[in-house]
Amino acid sequence: MKTGLLLAIETSCDDTCAAVLDGARILSNVISSQAKAHEGFGGVVPEVAARHHLELVEPVVEAALGEAGVTLDDVEAVAATAGPGLIGALLVGISAAKGIAAARRLPLIPVDHLQGHVAANFLEPEPLEPPFLCLIASGGHTMLAGVHDHEGYELLGQTLDDAAGEAFDKSARLLGLGYPGGPLIQKEAEQGDPEAFEMPVAMARDPGLDFSFSGLKTALVYRCRELGPEGVEARRADLAASFQAAVVEQLRTKLKRALKKGGWEAVALGGGVAANGPLREAVARLCEEQGVRLKLVPIALCTDNAAMIGSAARFAPRIEYPDYLGYDAFATGGRSAVPH
Ligand code: KG4
Ligand code: ZN
């Protein structure tokens, strides 16, 4: 019998995820993607996501325990994403975690989703120890985090409007590609010329570390209008390549600025957009130029997963039974309060 294991659940968006961790070692990391259910809508429909989580959470937890070759008897604490995310989706995961924990009188560890993306870097086989600079770019968030320890991060910059992944998803829809947009734009862009269309690299002259992607999306709307449906069809790969290059350039520019400002010696990428090939290459080149170490976690740990939630949970406060029974998920902002 193995003891001291952590069961983690993540349901903040459209993936139902559960993982079992033994310290920083992943014993299982199960992800059930709902992408197919949302494809026809061109984006995640919150209510549809919550209902799917409800159906999937139990089998996914069972699969995670099964793959790890353990039972709930081996688990010493249950972690779940408490926010930020889609509230209905989050409630399913946190309620499932509370139920499992309460039935066995185990502690509950609520985890911040973004801290989870940061903590993906602490996992075996090659954990990255703080301090490091972390760029998180996902469907819901884009931020630069200064990671000084395992418990949290300093917010250095964030998007003022759309997230990078959201821009990929909305632009893919404009170009008549499917959902999720990031991988489809990347694939389409392989056949295109990134310099074919001039796209704005927002905030390039802004001295701060914030991001903006809504202007880029608008620029694409105008290019598509000028070209008309047939023109878009004919130039889709060029449009995708030019759009992608502008996103990558903005992320790279801000990362470079943050590196120079902070004197960081290591960089990590996280969030779904970190799966983007050209972004990974651009950041790798930048780190080489600047002489800093780059940590790229496997793509399965960049996109939403429960192993990263378990990793963050190792350094987060535990709530003992029964104090968490009234614990609520939060859609935006900070940690939800535990009612007294
Ligand atoms: O981190 P994640 O799985 O979920 C959120 O927390 O949002 O990120 C999903 C986002 C989607 O917007 C998706 O289009 C984007 O990551 N994404 C990509 C790629 N793979 C996923 N964006 C660009 N290139 C990719 N290869
Ligand atoms: Zn995420």
Side-chain angles (χ1 to χ4, degrees), residues 265-298:
E265 285 173 11
V267 166
L269 292 187
V273 181
N276 186 269
L279 176 65
R280 287 181 164 238
E281 286 156 24
V283 172
R285 273 197 304 275
L286 172 69
C287 289
E288 211 181 302
E289 261 166 50
Q290 304 291 320
V292 300
R293 181 175 165 212
L294 173 64
K295 158 92 178 171
L296 289 174
V297 295

Side-chain angles (χ1 to χ4, degrees), residues 113 117 138-140 165-166 168-169 180-183 186 271-273 275-276 302-304:
H113 182 79
H117 277 300
S138 73
E166 188 180 357
F168 267 106
D169 294 337
Q186 182 182 330
V273 181
N276 186 269
C302 284
T303 50
D304 287 351

Side-chain angles (χ1 to χ4, degrees), residues 1-43:
M1 177 172 130
K2 299 185 179 86
T3 50
L5 304 184
L6 201 65
L7 170 67
I9 299 174
E10 147 66 40
T11 61
S12 68
C13 192
D14 63 340
D15 293 318
T16 316
C17 319
V20 178
L21 258 65
D22 181 4
R25 208 157 59 85
I26 304 172
L27 300 188
S28 65
N29 192 20
V30 177
I31 301 170
S32 175
S33 169
Q34 299 179 10
K36 284 262 169 290
H38 301 277
E39 207 173 52
F41 302 101

